[in-house]
Amino acid sequence: MTDDRFDDDRFDVWAPNAKTLSLVLDDATVPMTPAAEGWWTPADPVDAPAVARYGYLIDGAETPVPDPRSRRQPDGVHGLSQTFDPATFAWTDSAWTGRQLAGGSIYELHIGTFTPEGTLDSAIERLDHLVELGIDFVEILPVNGFNGTHNWGYDGVLWYTVHEGYGGPEAYQRFVDACHARGLAVIQDVVYNHLGPSGNYLPMFGPYLHEASSNTWGSSINIDGDQSGHVRDYILDNVLMWLGEYHVDALRLDAVHALEDSTAVHLLEEMAAEVDVLSAHVGRPLSLIAEADMNDPTLITSREANGYGLTGQWSDDFHHAVHVAVTGETTGYYEDFDSLDALAKVLTEGFFHNGTYSSFRGRVHGRPIDTAKTPTWRLVVCNQNHDQIGNRAIGDRLSATLNEHQLALAAVLTLTSPFTPMLFMGEEWGATTPWQFFTSHPEPELGEATAKGRIAEFSRMGWDESVVPNPQDLSTFTDSKLNWSELYAGPDGAVGDGASSQHARLFALYRDLLALRRTHSALTDPRFGEVSIEFDGESRVFVLNRGDVSILLNLGEQSATLPVVGEPPLVLLKTQDAVSLTADELSLPGFSAAILGPDAA
């Protein structure tokens, strides 16, 4: 019988701010001694079991705090850390070759509200739904350690952990492995621009934060100040952990505009270079997708052309243009998108604000994309996502105000656009459940401050502040869980009740649109030059031409008739039965769309 205890450096920690440091290991306290560059190591070799609870006493404190690189927090972010060896998992994805972002489709989900149970294992049981839908990438909102039982995930304080309520790191490995077994790539949403308000002990260890710099969510991360090299390593090592040890295929980088970096080589550029090295080593594509409020193509410009070399970035301008086109809402940041010109510009130039005046910001915003050299798929677009739903006053989806036909128009615009489409969980069947902003801060004062802060945020959007749900109420969280019975009825998991089900019809439309993307190469053609637009602002008829495929949308209530010149094409898809094509004309009822083109190649 072999002894499972061994000597190692698992308990070394970077803590240049500490004057004294001790390791608490199970029931023992072990003195630590300074090493090079602010690192500390146990004064004597540690004889520790493979699985051990541990923490650190800093400067004579009586209560230990977790390891900044903790892999498990069984008792929450204020408790002791627990060792975890990811190499013990028996992966079955050795044949997985990954997926490129080009031509792909993304499905964004939140583990806690995707299923009634809110766990990674229960999410595995719903993966076949995504396969049937035709999804390529599953994007998971942040899963790292936060204080409380439920949270959006953007209040994380321990970036190397997986929230125990979701199942912990072993469940995460099972989820990624199960995705790969079904041909689904995994995108993990990560937050490197701030830390949550409760359970952040990093400043006790070292200068992880900028004392004189802050962003919307609190103190900025120190990636360019004194001793920032180790902080950058802390981030870069975390990137490589997800992509390497956990077999994740891509990372979505939250709000990179909040990463203040004055160094010659921006952290994002350094990150992209490290990921390229890892990609070459593991032999599969690895992607980095930025969320940015800058409309700056530098992010997705190659490093050879003096860009950062990221794979893709979100385009909120697309969302805003589609939202206004299908809802008519023009308050707040939607104001500049109040004509179909905005939608046409986004589809042909990538950004609407590309050096133009933004009335919401009160200044010129963005810069142009080089459409001759930039592939369209580098922009990730949607008509709904966690931010654009959850940051509304009552977390209302498009389904709360639009009818079935209008929801279909939003789907067609998104899934036939020249960009990489992303769906938000439940969108594909017109889920009626809201997705609200929810927290579970145990500290009453923090919960109260969060609730007041939410109300203050909505004044510029013209929303009724009196209806904003309290993020701390449990019902705000439970009401946001998907109701799968809207689509799947009965013990056999059958979809809806056939033609009478609005949810089933919308699901079928999304499935058919994703299938068209796979069978008609024009719909995944990455060239901006292959996109052209025709529209009539008065009748609200909008035509998007993608090579030999034309997408015709009637965004208005009144019926419209369009002449057909030459040989009539095939109707590849229509959103209403009343859509009709003859040798001479195409008839589009109000709020309808048709896709015309040749047979699949």
Side-chain angles (χ1 to χ4, degrees), residues 415-433:
L415 292 174
T416 63
S417 81
F419 313 118
T420 298
M422 184 179 74
L423 284 56
F424 183 67
M425 60 179 195
E427 169 193 332
E428 71 276 18
W429 76 75
T432 62
T433 49

Side-chain angles (χ1 to χ4, degrees), residues 22-43:
S22 296
L23 168 69
V24 174
L25 180 61
D26 290 332
D27 296 325
T29 300
V30 181
M32 300 189 74
T33 185
E37 299 184 12
W39 284 87
W40 291 71
T41 190

Side-chain angles (χ1 to χ4, degrees), residues 341-396:
D341 295 274
L343 181 59
K345 181 178 179 180
V346 168
L347 288 166
T348 54
E349 299 182 33
F351 295 141
F352 175 72
H353 286 305
N354 55 4
T356 60
Y357 182 78
S358 165
S359 61
F360 185 74
R361 297 174 177 84
R363 58 171 174 80
V364 170
H365 182 64
R367 64 188 300 174
I369 291 175
D370 185 346
T371 56
K373 298 180 180 178
T374 305
T376 56
W377 57 261
R378 290 198 184 277
L379 296 182
V380 174
V381 302
C382 65
N383 62 66
Q384 300 178 80
N385 65 36
H386 76 277
D387 271 331
Q388 301 299 341
I389 300 172
N391 283 325
R392 293 177 67 83
I394 58 173
D396 50 319

Side-chain angles (χ1 to χ4, degrees), residues 524-539:
T524 51
D525 191 316
R527 295 171 291 182
F528 275 99
E530 291 297 305
V531 180
S532 66
I533 304 292
E534 307 164 48
F535 66 92
D536 182 337
E538 185 174 345
S539 68

Side-chain angles (χ1 to χ4, degrees), residues 117-135:
E117 300 84 356
T119 65
L120 288 153
D121 285 324
S122 64
I124 292 174
E125 298 174 7
R126 295 293 181 179
L127 292 180
D128 290 340
H129 165 83
L130 304 186
V131 174
E132 180 185 1
L133 181 59
I135 292 297

Side-chain angles (χ1 to χ4, degrees), residues 130-187:
L130 304 186
V131 174
E132 180 185 1
L133 181 59
I135 292 297
D136 299 304
F137 289 87
V138 181
E139 178 174 326
I140 312 170
L141 269 63
V143 297
N144 50 276
F146 56 82
N147 196 23
T149 57
H150 53 271
N151 191 285
W152 270 25
Y154 297 90
D155 286 327
V157 291
L158 287 170
W159 293 347
Y160 285 72
T161 61
V162 174
H163 177 56
E164 289 293 315
Y166 296 156
E170 291 175 337
Y172 190 88
Q173 291 173 311
R174 291 193 293 272
F175 179 84
V176 174
D177 202 45
C179 284
H180 289 171
R182 291 164 173 81
L184 297 167
V186 178
I187 303 173

Side-chain angles (χ1 to χ4, degrees), residues 95-443:
W96 173 248
T97 57
R99 283 193 181 275
Q100 294 184 345
L101 187 62
S105 57
I106 302 172
Y107 189 95
E108 185 188 40
L109 64 86
H110 175 269
I111 291 296
T113 53
F114 184 55
T115 64
E117 300 84 356
T119 65
L120 288 153
D121 285 324
S122 64
I124 292 174
E125 298 174 7
R126 295 293 181 179
L127 292 180
D128 290 340
H129 165 83
L130 304 186
V131 174
E132 180 185 1
L133 181 59
I135 292 297
D136 299 304
F137 289 87
V138 181
E139 178 174 326
I140 312 170
L141 269 63
V143 297
N144 50 276
F146 56 82
N147 196 23
T149 57
H150 53 271
N151 191 285
W152 270 25
Y154 297 90
D155 286 327
V157 291
L158 287 170
W159 293 347
Y160 285 72
T161 61
V162 174
H163 177 56
E164 289 293 315
Y166 296 156
E170 291 175 337
Y172 190 88
Q173 291 173 311
R174 291 193 293 272
F175 179 84
V176 174
D177 202 45
C179 284
H180 289 171
R182 291 164 173 81
L184 297 167
V186 178
I187 303 173
Q188 179 58 59
D189 193 343
V190 290
V191 183
Y192 297 133
N193 55 64
H194 75 283
L195 289 142
S198 179
N200 174 22
Y201 296 104
L202 294 185
M204 298 175 63
F205 288 89
Y208 284 89
L209 303 178
H210 266 306
E211 294 183 0
S213 177
S214 63
N215 55 48
T216 303
W217 308 283
S219 298
S220 298
I221 306 299
N222 173 28
I223 57 176
D224 62 357
D226 184 39
Q227 301 187 82
S228 60
H230 289 286
V231 180
R232 294 168 76 99
D233 287 344
Y234 182 72
I235 295 172
L236 293 171
D237 289 349
N238 187 257
V239 167
L240 300 179
M241 177 197 78
W242 292 113
L243 298 175
E245 296 176 11
Y246 286 112
H247 293 205
V248 167
D249 301 281
L251 299 180
R252 181 261 190 188
L253 309 172
D254 181 66
V256 299
H257 51 270
L259 294 172
E260 297 189 12
D261 188 357
S262 60
T263 62
V265 179
H266 195 282
L267 176 66
L268 294 175
E269 181 181 352
E270 188 175 2
M271 195 181 293
E274 292 284 349
V275 170
D276 283 351
V277 171
L278 180 60
S279 177
H281 174 67
V282 299
R284 56 186 173 89
L286 299 175
S287 301
L288 295 175
I289 304 168
E291 180 208 15
D293 187 33
M294 299 181 291
N295 282 15
D296 184 358
T298 302
L299 297 172
I300 52 175
T301 300
S302 69
R303 295 193 300 280
E304 293 82 358
N306 297 318
Y308 292 163
L310 301 182
T311 315
Q313 69 179 105
W314 280 22
S315 171
D316 281 345
D317 283 8
F318 177 89
H319 168 272
H320 299 346
V322 170
H323 185 90
V324 174
V326 297
T327 69
E329 182 179 354
T330 57
T331 57
Y333 50 67
Y334 295 127
E335 181 179 354
D336 293 338
F337 299 82
D338 62 352
S339 77
L340 291 180
D341 295 274
L343 181 59
K345 181 178 179 180
V346 168
L347 288 166
T348 54
E349 299 182 33
F351 295 141
F352 175 72
H353 286 305
N354 55 4
T356 60
Y357 182 78
S358 165
S359 61
F360 185 74
R361 297 174 177 84
R363 58 171 174 80
V364 170
H365 182 64
R367 64 188 300 174
I369 291 175
D370 185 346
T371 56
K373 298 180 180 178
T374 305
T376 56
W377 57 261
R378 290 198 184 277
L379 296 182
V380 174
V381 302
C382 65
N383 62 66
Q384 300 178 80
N385 65 36
H386 76 277
D387 271 331
Q388 301 299 341
I389 300 172
N391 283 325
R392 293 177 67 83
I394 58 173
D396 50 319
R397 297 170 179 263
L398 289 179
S399 58
T401 52
L402 301 184
N403 62 35
E404 175 184 352
H405 302 314
Q406 292 169 305
L407 292 173
L409 291 176
V412 171
L413 281 168
T414 304
L415 292 174
T416 63
S417 81
F419 313 118
T420 298
M422 184 179 74
L423 284 56
F424 183 67
M425 60 179 195
E427 169 193 332
E428 71 276 18
W429 76 75
T432 62
T433 49
W435 204 74
Q436 300 168 333
F437 180 76
F438 46 81
T439 55
S440 58
H441 299 305
E443 304 89 346

